[in-house]
Structure formats: structure tokens, C-alpha cells
Amino acid sequence: MAGRLQDTVALVTGASSGIGAATARALAVEGAAVALLGRRRERLEELADELSAEARVAYVAEADITDQRQAAAAVEDVVSQLGRLDTVVNNAGTMGVGPVEDSPLDEWERMIEINVRGLLYVTHAAVPHLLRAAEDSPRKVADLVNISSTAGRVARPGTAVYNLTKFGVNGFTEALRQEVMRKRVRVSVVEPGTVDTELSSHLRAGAREAVERQVEGLELLRPEDIADAVAYIVTRDRRVAVNEILVRAAEQTW
């Protein structure tokens, strides 16, 4: 039985682990040819091999999306190799936490580079292809899904710049949605709560322990839970637009 995304192409950023890898798997199961975009080629190739062993189509697109030229070239490469682009999932992101007064500036810059600029660069390159896909695909619709966070809805002490980036993602998503919705390009945002991924492992000492204390005792979400939300959005009939999904761990209050 053909999947609901048969004969379409999906691009997932940050596909080497966590939510990105889980989302790539979910879209491949639905029949999409999946382009895996990220910086860790070895991890991307492992996932591509896994999907290929399951008779799925996967293409590795290694790039640093914080470099505008690399981001644009990666999108064009995917379209050249796979023929089209129907779905984009902007998942790549990073998190830094700690009080503003003693946070290192390079941590702030990294969040802005990946969470904001990288997302913008990929989106800018992808939108023309998504507009074309909405016109000529059998589904007559295309999708752009931005992975934000509960931090895009709730500001808390110690996450000011992360909040800034994710509030920005939410605002950008809504404005773009209104720009392209009549052309049947759906733009959606998914806001995960606490997910068991590598995200917190990249935190500096002290900050990592603070996050671990905050989530201690919680049953964390799994990457597959967020991938399910993305798959739900992009497999709806063209008459349906799911603009926003907030997914919290069951006991999470923020």
C-alpha cells in the first residue's frame, strides 16, 4: 500500500539525530523520498543506509545551514538529485541556558545563527520550489514545518536568548503562512516540550546540571512523538491546514 506522501520529496534539517532523524523516518514510511540535511555526514549516511535497507529513498545533503551559500546550494542540490521539493521541515536548532549577566556571547550567537539564520536561509531557498510543488504535485499542496519549542510561547528566567529565537520562529512562521496560504503552501509550527534528545548534552557545565534538575522525575517526550506531529500535519488533505501543534510532556507545566 502506497504511503500518503508517495511521489513527493521531503527535506529535513538537523536530520543526523533526535527529532530530525525520527521525522525523516516517519516521512519515509509515508512514502516520501527524504533528503537528510546536516553537518555530520557519517550519522546522515547511517540513517540513509537504514532507510535504504527498508526500501526507502534517502539522499544525504551535507551542509552548514548557518552559511547562506551552503544552505541555498543544499536545497538546489536536493531538487536537482530528487527532482522536486514538496515538504521542508526546519528542525535544526541549538539551546543555551543561563542568566543573561554571565552567559557567553558566543553561545548567544550560535543560537541566533542556527535557530534563526539557518532556518531563514533554508526557507528562502525552498519557498520557490514549494510554490511550484503546490501547483504540479498530485496532492496539490506543499508544506513547510518549523520546529520551535514551548520556549516560543513561555518565557522563563535563564532562557532569554533561546526564548528570543523561538518567539521569532513562531512570528516568522505565522507571517509566512499568511503570505503563501492561498497558493496552497501550508506553513506550520510544532512546539515540543522536554524531549529526550542530545540538545541538553551540548550545554556547558553548570547549565546542563540545572536543566537536568528541572526535568528530574519527568517522563520526557521521545523524538518519535514530535515526528508523529509533523507527519500528521503534512499528510492532511489539501483542504486542511494544521497551523500549530504544541506537544508537552504529560507532567510539564511550562
Side-chain angles (χ1 to χ4, degrees):
M1 178 177 169
R4 289 170 287 187
L5 299 179
Q6 196 70 33
D7 300 321
T8 70
V9 173
L11 169 65
V12 181
T13 72
S16 61
S17 64
I19 293 170
T23 298
R25 292 186 184 99
L27 300 183
V29 167
E30 288 290 351
V34 182
L36 311 172
L37 178 54
R39 293 176 296 121
R40 295 181 289 182
R41 172 168 284 277
E42 184 176 340
R43 298 279 290 270
L44 297 173
E45 289 179 343
E46 287 175 4
L47 179 55
D49 290 344
E50 173 194 322
L51 295 175
S52 297
E54 299 169 356
R56 314 293 181 189
V57 177
Y59 178 71
V60 171
E62 181 184 6
D64 179 356
I65 61 169
T66 67
D67 181 311
Q68 187 272 332
R69 289 193 179 92
Q70 288 191 45
V75 171
E76 296 307 316
D77 180 46
V78 168
V79 174
S80 173
Q81 294 297 321
L82 299 180
R84 56 184 304 110
L85 185 57
D86 304 84
T87 304
V88 172
V89 182
N90 279 313
N91 163 74
T94 189
M95 178 178 69
V97 301
V100 167
E101 63 184 298
D102 61 5
S103 290
L105 285 176
D106 61 347
E107 192 173 272
W108 292 2
E109 289 165 358
R110 189 66 179 156
M111 281 188 280
I112 292 168
E113 288 290 329
I114 298 176
N115 299 358
V116 179
R117 288 200 179 99
L119 180 146
L120 293 178
Y121 295 154
V122 171
T123 299
H124 186 265
V127 163
H129 298 292
L130 295 175
L131 290 168
R132 281 195 288 275
E135 292 179 351
D136 67 15
S137 76
R139 302 185 71 235
K140 297 296 183 185
V141 69
D143 285 280
L144 174 71
V145 182
N146 291 329
I147 306 299
S148 180
S149 168
T150 54
R153 296 172 63 98
V154 180
R156 292 168 59 84
T159 58
V161 178
Y162 187 60
N163 286 136
L164 180 152
T165 65
K166 294 303 185 177
F167 270 77
V169 167
N170 286 11
F172 174 75
T173 301
E174 175 57 17
L176 180 59
R177 181 189 74 82
Q178 295 179 40
E179 288 183 21
V180 298
M181 63 183 184
R182 296 192 182 278
K183 297 176 181 178
R184 294 294 181 171
V185 175
R186 301 182 295 203
V187 182
S188 309
V189 65
V190 176
E191 298 150 313
T194 52
V195 185
D196 188 8
T197 70
E198 297 178 357
L199 195 62
S200 63
S201 68
H202 301 298
L203 295 172
R204 55 197 161 86
R208 183 170 57 252
E209 288 75 9
V211 169
E212 289 171 352
R213 286 194 299 272
Q214 183 182 41
V215 302
E216 187 176 4
L218 287 182
E219 184 177 1
L220 303 183
L221 295 167
R222 298 173 183 173
E224 292 76 17
D225 298 324
I226 310 308
D228 284 346
V230 176
Y232 179 82
I233 289 171
V234 303
T235 54
R236 298 308 91 196
D237 186 271
R238 69 190 295 272
R239 71 180 180 276
V240 180
V242 181
N243 304 146
E244 180 179 20
I245 295 183
L246 170 64
V247 188
R248 283 189 175 106
E251 301 164 298
Q252 184 174 343
T253 58
W254 62 92

